[in-house]
């Protein structure tokens, strides 16, 4: 089946006359003929049911769970995306839903796809999205007591502020020595004079310099 046919088939399987259940829509991702996928957007309340319909061997037969992650859409909440694959029919689908920033929760797919366990734990840890009925949402990658969710866009990238650079030279310094230039603050890293252990004590870090436009003949 083509990506268009896969998307239309899943939309048909989820069709309902109840407007309160929300609308299911489909589009096709980029990637060209060999890599394009049907992208099916479903309301968060129908996330589990959509995965169940996709798995049905008599319909689309998505028997393999490939991966799951999320995208921080800022005021729009979070997009949760799962890639499912049919090992027999050799077609795939990107199943997508949107959860709010105030209540980021979606149904776990572990009972349908046991392989989702690790992916949901990672997404919970990195984005703070709860997967209802997941059997074990323990921390997976971060150390005990870690605060915050590193893949949220408001998360402060503060490692260079909290502790000094461990190498002998700052990144970009040459081996030839010479005068040491002031370190440039990378994007996403706060000014150490405004955040961190040296707040109010350190001189402001310089902003990243803009490169001059390249001359063309």
């Amino acid at each position: 089946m083509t990506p268009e046919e896969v998307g239309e088939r899943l939309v048909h399987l989820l069709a309902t006359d109840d407007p309160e259940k929300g609308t299911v829509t489909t589009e096709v991702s980029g990637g060209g003929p060999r890599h394009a996928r049907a992208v099916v957007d479903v309301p968060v309340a129908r996330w589990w049911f959509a995965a169940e319909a996709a798995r049905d061997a008599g319909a689309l037969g998505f028997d393999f769970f490939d991966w799951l992650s999320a995208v921080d859409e800022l005021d729009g909440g979070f997009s949760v995306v799962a890639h499912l694959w049919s090992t027999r029919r050799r077609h795939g689908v990107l199943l997508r839903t949107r959860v709010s920033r105030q209540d980021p929760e979606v149904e776990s797919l572990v009972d349908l796809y046991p392989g989702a366990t690790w992916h949901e734990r990672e997404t919970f840890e990195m984005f703070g999205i709860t997967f209802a009925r997941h059997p074990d949402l323990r921390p997976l990658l971060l150390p005990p007591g870690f605060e915050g969710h590193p893949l949220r866009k408001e998360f402060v990238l503060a490692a260079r502020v909290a502790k000094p650079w461990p190498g002998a030279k700052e990144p970009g310094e040459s081996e030839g020595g010479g005068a040491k230039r002031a370190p440039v603050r990378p994007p996403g890293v706060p000014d150490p004079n405004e955040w961190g252990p040296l707040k109010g004590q350190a001189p402001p870090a310089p902003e990243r310099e803009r490169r001059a436009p390249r001359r063309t003949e």
Side-chain angles (χ1 to χ4, degrees):
M1 297 175 71
T2 66
E4 291 83 0
E5 291 171 336
V6 169
E8 291 170 4
R9 178 63 172 154
L10 189 51
V11 169
H12 175 74
L13 291 170
L14 295 171
T16 176
D17 294 329
D18 186 352
E20 294 186 359
K21 290 187 175 181
T23 304
V24 178
T25 60
T26 182
E27 60 185 77
V28 176
S29 73
R34 297 185 60 186
H35 303 288
R37 294 284 185 271
V39 183
V40 178
D41 288 284
V42 301
V44 65
R46 305 189 69 191
W47 172 252
W48 186 92
F49 299 100
E52 182 187 39
R55 193 187 63 161
D56 186 349
L60 290 165
F62 289 114
D63 56 335
F64 178 72
F65 180 92
D66 190 10
W67 55 262
L68 178 145
S69 191
V71 179
D72 187 343
E73 308 285 2
L74 296 175
D75 291 342
F78 301 94
S79 291
V80 179
V81 188
H83 181 237
L84 309 177
W85 181 255
S86 172
T87 57
R88 183 168 65 88
R89 301 178 185 179
R90 311 297 295 174
H91 56 224
V93 66
L94 290 165
L95 192 63
R96 184 170 62 185
T97 193
R98 183 71 65 89
V99 298
S100 70
R101 204 168 198 86
Q102 294 72 33
D103 183 24
E105 182 173 326
V106 66
E107 197 82 0
S108 172
L109 301 182
V110 169
D111 55 347
L112 295 173
Y113 296 101
T117 302
W118 185 94
H119 300 261
E120 291 181 352
R121 285 176 62 190
E122 181 187 44
T123 305
F124 167 70
E125 192 169 35
M126 293 296 171
F127 290 93
I129 299 170
T130 299
F131 290 85
R133 298 192 304 107
H134 190 289
D136 186 19
L137 279 179
R138 287 181 297 115
L140 180 69
L141 302 173
L142 300 174
F146 188 92
E147 295 183 5
H149 306 287
L151 292 186
R152 288 193 174 197
K153 289 181 178 177
E154 75 268 17
F155 186 82
V156 176
L157 303 175
R160 293 293 302 280
V161 176
K163 59 183 179 181
W165 177 252
K169 295 181 175 63
E170 288 281 342
E173 288 184 11
S174 67
E175 296 290 338
K180 181 178 179 180
R181 66 180 184 180
V184 174
R185 178 157 48 94
V189 175
D191 189 323
N193 195 47
E194 299 175 357
W195 189 96
L198 298 179
K199 180 177 180 180
Q201 305 173 35
E207 298 290 343
R208 181 177 295 274
E209 298 177 0
R210 292 195 175 192
R211 292 185 178 181
R214 182 177 295 178
R215 294 180 60 186
T216 57
E217 299 297 334

